[in-house]
Amino acid sequence: MDQFSLLDAPASDPRSRAAARAATLRREIERHNRLYHQLDAPEITDEAYDALFRELTGLEERYPELRTPDSPTRRVGGAVLPYLETRPHRERMYGLDNVFSEEEWEAFAQKAARALPEAGGEVMNAWWADPKLDGLACEIAYENGVMTQALTRGDGEVGEVVTEAMRTVRNLPLRLAGPGPFPRRIEIRGEVLMFRKEFEELNRRQTELGQKRFANPRNAAAGSLRQLDTAVTASRKLRFLAYSLGAVDAPGAKPWATHDALMASLKAWGFDTPPEGRVCRGADDALAYFRRMEAERDALPFEIDGVVYKLNDREAQAALGFTARAPRFAVAWKFTSRKAETRLKKISVQVGRTGALTPVAELEPVSLGGVMVSRATLHNEDEIRRLDLRENDVVIIQRAGDVIPDVLGPVLEKRPAGTRPFEFPRVCPVCGSAARRLEGESAWRCLNVACPAVLKRSVTHFVSKAGLDADGVGAKWVEALIDAGRVKSPADLFTVTAEELMSYERMGEVSAGNFVAALEKAKNEATLARFISALGIRLVGEQTARTLAERFRDMDELASASAEELMRLPDVGPEVASSVRAFFETESNRELLARFRAMGLWPKGGESGREGALAGRKVLFTGTLSRPRDEFRRMAEAAGANVASGVSRTLDYLVAGENPGSKLDKARSMGITVLDENGFLALLGGKGAD
Ligand code: IVH
């Protein structure tokens, strides 16, 4: 990229040269970001891109004043806000009125035409149509082409300031593309979304961590955007699709005559826009568009819930104006939702890792939007009572974003004779001990620390990837040891010998050796973050564990932290704080910790964690590296990365050594950044293992 340096550096002092070079780098990097993420047409190798990025990071470190708001280095997040500030919208963000049928759509269009008789058929027949995106509306302000503010819709009048969080959204231009001139100030409105794939991955993670699942991609997007710690937002891979304008301040500029001209400008400025947007002419065309989107909605990578029609002529839009609620020139035609009727055969109750008794609806299998379903979530006792769900009822189920549907309620007319209200068990269905429902909680819990169901899940979690990651200790063996009464807590695992294991059926010398070695290694290599996460403290997942491990030196320090102290940390609210306190106040947990300490499993904190060069990134190693794989894994984790086990679209980097095999091909085909060992070390800032 040497061709830029001289041209861009008319001044000769080092600082001005650095400033000019940084400006060039920012432009170039954002151009390559766009080529890569939006256009799927990279022009340079990943190594060359990384070199540009590193050069910019280096300049910004040397001259912090060069860290401009539109710098691509800001996209990794890291700003932590004390609370979400609110600010008024310059122009109100209206909702949309809904129609549900062809007749209602036509009535809407005719009403608009009657309100504006002078406009003529040509104008009043042309509607811009695009999918109604099921995310959350957001408004981004640009001043002279540079992104300066982002507000959520809020109540339409006042929104929350999410500027820093939106900077981490990869497909949002931080600076408008093209030569300009740009409006003095312009607000671009659109939808923040999470792709279905990301959403499912996130929920899988949340479940694994015993954390709250998101009900649908929209809630997940909202939860991810409204974060105080923008590193969390950065890790969630949100996208922004632009579809309209807010306030515009562009003296002397000619306004767009049509919505399609506006959409073309938004694209030219570097925004992604809703797919398939086009002008429809007349009711038949509008209907054809609706039918096609309805048929193709599952092929899109994100959720849509209808089609939005906007009068294409912007002068006519302005003339029609707004009702108290919504524009008169735009409407949402909603899809009918995906519901089905089936029989609820049985309500079964499962026991989770934290002992929560979770009701599950066992259904007569039924096809729902092309997927056969036989189970649905029922959440908790209150929900079952609220719906008055009974075994043998005919129920209506609905699939929202997730594959697992919700039960909306019973069809009372079809209720068979002899059903009885469901009685939620007061005892654990596995160990039979009394369950309790704690103050302020919706779940009944089995509080028996020795309950085999709870024990199996908690010990399995302890050695899982979310815990100490003792690869070689299979769930099957954990279960066998628990069933045999040999393991009653995760600490017992470390006392199991290879000889002992070999007395179990199907346990050979090699796997017995692996089992013991894996635990020994996990014990020696445990970081404080992994250890905390392994303990399975309710509401404390990997992310929160990392936060705690950064703040506290060891478990003693964490144990003596007050709830107030804990709540000062990002990510930690009153519920998490009280769950951490409750953990340490429980006698059996203190005993467990004492055993870990005695056996030398007592890691120290202070990891670089979230602030690391790879914060929130997902890395996978493949092939033969110059040092043991685990050493690399630890380096990646110390830099804040998560180490993945397979290639998926959520992967950020594949680090390939000698003879890499099929993972490399797969990563290449998915356009994932591939690094060699040196490239990886360079990402860490040139530092190798200590
Ligand atoms: S245009 C004046 N286009 O749906 C019209 N809105 O339920 C402004 N929405 O508040 C909005 N997809 O946030 C438009 N393709 C799309 C949309 C869309 C989703 C949102 C929008 C609106 C909400 C109403």
Side-chain angles (χ1 to χ4, degrees):
M1 299 292 112
D2 280 347
Q3 67 264 36
F4 301 108
S5 41
L6 288 175
L7 292 175
D8 282 338
S12 57
D13 65 294
R15 212 216 137 269
S16 322
R17 266 206 309 275
R21 179 68 182 148
T24 305
L25 286 168
R26 280 197 298 270
R27 253 195 331 271
E28 272 299 284
I29 291 169
E30 281 296 79
R31 191 171 72 81
H32 290 303
N33 269 344
R34 191 166 135 64
L35 285 167
Y36 185 92
H37 287 289
Q38 293 174 253
L39 304 176
D40 214 6
E43 277 178 9
I44 58 173
T45 64
D46 298 337
E47 289 72 21
Y49 175 87
D50 292 333
L52 293 176
F53 202 91
R54 272 200 309 282
E55 188 186 348
L56 180 58
T57 314
L59 286 175
E60 289 179 352
E61 268 164 20
R62 229 170 307 139
Y63 304 99
E65 70 274 20
L66 296 182
R67 206 164 180 270
T68 58
D70 66 331
S71 175
T73 59
R74 293 243 186 158
R75 290 202 188 272
V76 292
V80 178
L81 312 173
Y83 61 95
L84 285 185
E85 195 189 322
T86 56
R87 240 172 248 170
H89 290 284
R90 296 195 179 190
E91 282 180 13
R92 176 164 160 196
M93 282 180 88
Y94 285 88
L96 289 170
D97 279 338
N98 295 324
V99 295
F100 293 93
S101 66
E102 198 180 347
E103 293 72 37
E104 286 180 17
W105 188 87
E106 275 189 50
F108 169 84
Q110 280 161 13
K111 193 167 171 193
R114 274 199 308 277
L116 220 56
E118 65 280 14
E122 188 81 22
V123 164
M124 298 310 286
N125 254 332
W127 295 88
W128 176 269
D130 52 22
K132 183 168 191 307
L133 311 168
D134 200 8
L136 78 152
C138 195
E139 176 184 85
I140 324 287
Y142 290 82
E143 290 174 39
N144 301 310
V146 177
M147 189 266 206
T148 52
Q149 176 180 279
L151 292 182
T152 62
R153 174 167 186 265
D155 64 2
E157 305 272 0
V158 174
E160 284 164 321
V161 180
V162 288
T163 313
E164 292 307 321
M166 280 305 292
R167 281 195 220 286
T168 70
V169 173
R170 300 285 154 143
N171 76 337
L172 180 77
L174 298 179
R175 171 188 285 275
L176 300 181
F182 299 116
R184 188 146 73 193
R185 191 173 182 286
I186 188 165
E187 294 170 347
I188 310 298
R189 293 178 175 176
E191 204 85 349
V192 176
L193 299 173
M194 186 179 284
F195 280 18
R196 233 179 268 130
K197 216 169 165 161
E198 288 288 332
F199 163 74
E200 275 156 22
E201 170 76 28
L202 174 63
N203 260 354
R204 251 198 306 281
R205 227 157 45 218
Q206 296 288 101
T207 311
E208 231 169 66
L209 298 175
Q211 293 196 340
K212 211 175 56 217
R213 288 170 65 87
F214 292 97
N216 50 48
R218 172 165 29 85
N219 290 4
S224 303
L225 184 64
R226 300 177 63 261
Q227 286 279 340
L228 299 178
D229 180 352
T230 55
V232 176
T233 316
S235 73
R236 298 279 173 86
K237 303 220 172 76
L238 299 174
R239 329 242 171 170
F240 179 81
L241 302 186
Y243 50 60
S244 74
L245 290 181
V248 180
D249 173 14
K254 204 162 135 257
W256 291 272
T258 59
H259 195 79
D260 69 313
L262 165 63
M263 295 307 287
S265 289
L266 293 180
K267 278 189 199 165
W269 280 344
F271 291 95
D272 280 343
T273 55
E276 310 287 338
R278 71 166 172 91
V279 176
C280 294
R281 301 204 188 265
D284 288 347
D285 199 14
L287 174 65
Y289 185 92
F290 180 82
R291 292 266 178 265
R292 196 165 64 81
M293 291 316 296
E294 192 175 38
E296 288 176 7
R297 63 190 289 197
D298 282 333
L300 292 174
F302 46 79
E303 297 284 327
I304 63 173
D305 58 351
V307 171
V308 178
Y309 297 86
K310 290 155 238 183
L311 200 56
N312 196 37
D313 188 289
R314 295 185 79 244
E315 229 175 88
Q317 285 188 6
L320 282 170
F322 300 83
T323 68
R325 278 189 325 274
R328 288 197 188 86
F329 57 84
V331 75
W333 186 350
K334 301 282 283 281
F335 298 140
T336 44
S337 74
R338 282 178 280 195
K339 294 182 192 160
E341 251 183 49
T342 187
R343 188 165 302 278
L344 170 59
K345 293 193 298 192
K346 184 174 174 345
I347 298 175
S348 61
V349 175
Q350 300 183 337
V351 186
R353 172 164 60 79
T354 56
L357 306 190
T358 315
V360 176
E362 314 271 2
L363 307 166
E364 201 73 64
V366 64
S367 164
L368 192 57
V371 182
M372 286 304 281
V373 263
S374 54
R375 289 155 77 85
T377 25
L378 288 174
H379 307 289
N380 53 50
E381 178 187 31
D382 294 346
E383 182 73 1
I384 296 173
R385 186 170 307 143
R386 187 178 69 78
L387 300 172
D388 183 23
L389 280 181
R390 305 178 179 195
E391 288 179 334
N392 269 325
D393 263 342
V394 172
V395 294
I396 298 176
I397 57 173
Q398 173 176 333
R399 198 153 63 100
D402 212 344
V403 214
I404 303 167
D406 274 317
V407 176
L408 295 182
V411 184
L412 291 177
E413 311 84 82
K414 296 189 183 169
R415 174 167 282 170
T419 63
R420 297 146 135 269
F422 182 69
E423 279 185 44
F424 205 89
R426 296 290 185 263
V427 295
C428 170
V430 175
C431 73
S433 63
R436 277 189 49 202
R437 186 169 163 171
L438 302 178
E439 182 82 21
E441 286 202 349
S442 54
W444 284 85
R445 283 176 199 284
C446 170
L447 295 183
N448 173 14
V449 285
C451 170
V454 177
L455 203 55
K456 279 176 189 171
R457 294 220 180 198
S458 65
V459 175
T460 312
H461 170 79
F462 190 84
V463 294
S464 75
K465 285 208 187 319
L468 291 196
D469 194 10
D471 207 6
V473 182
K476 219 174 59 216
W477 291 107
V478 169
E479 292 191 9
L481 287 161
I482 289 172
D483 287 338
R486 175 60 182 85
V487 165
K488 298 197 169 69
S489 95
D492 290 337
L493 277 181
F494 295 88
T495 66
V496 177
T497 63
E499 292 71 49
E500 213 186 322
L501 280 171
M502 278 155 63
S503 71
Y504 284 76
E505 218 178 303
R506 290 202 312 276
M507 184 62 129
E509 197 172 335
V510 175
S511 42
N514 285 347
F515 183 103
V516 174
L519 281 166
E520 186 62 19
K521 188 149 143 304
K523 185 174 95 183
N524 294 334
E525 293 178 359
T527 60
L528 183 56
R530 285 185 165 278
F531 186 54
I532 295 172
S533 170
L535 291 170
I537 305 171
R538 215 162 64 77
L539 303 178
V540 177
E542 283 176 283
Q543 176 74 34
T544 310
R546 274 200 291 274
T547 307
L548 295 173
E550 271 163 45
R551 168 66 185 76
F552 299 102
R553 241 175 318 155
D554 57 19
M555 292 306 278
D556 290 319
E557 239 188 56
L558 175 57
S560 57
S562 67
E564 291 69 39
E565 227 174 303
L566 291 166
M567 274 155 62
R568 262 180 252 131
L569 296 169
D571 246 20
V572 178
E575 285 167 350
V576 175
S578 88
S579 166
V580 172
R581 291 306 320 144
F583 179 85
F584 287 107
E585 279 156 18
T586 305
E587 183 59 33
S588 55
N589 291 333
R590 286 206 301 269
E591 283 165 18
L592 178 66
L593 288 175
R595 286 185 65 193
F596 284 134
R597 188 204 299 267
M599 67 174 71
L601 177 50
W602 205 251
K604 297 281 177 237
E607 299 165 329
S608 53
R610 292 174 312 106
E611 278 141 40
L614 294 178
R617 298 311 178 87
K618 214 164 170 186
V619 182
L620 176 65
F621 297 96
T622 187
T624 314
L625 301 162
S626 68
R627 282 177 271 181
R629 178 90 51 96
D630 271 308
E631 212 166 296
F632 279 92
R633 194 191 55 164
R634 266 181 291 127
M635 281 191 262
E637 285 179 348
N642 288 315
V643 177
S645 53
V647 179
S648 71
R649 292 211 178 272
T650 62
L651 191 66
D652 293 293
Y653 301 107
L654 180 80
V655 181
E658 304 277 321
N659 306 320
S662 68
K663 284 187 180 145
L664 178 64
D665 299 332
K666 189 162 173 205
R668 286 233 164 96
S669 75
M670 288 177 155
I672 286 158
T673 305
V674 177
L675 301 171
D676 63 9
E677 206 174 301
N678 287 330
F680 171 70
L681 293 177
L683 267 192
L684 297 182
K687 282 182 252 125
D690 309 336

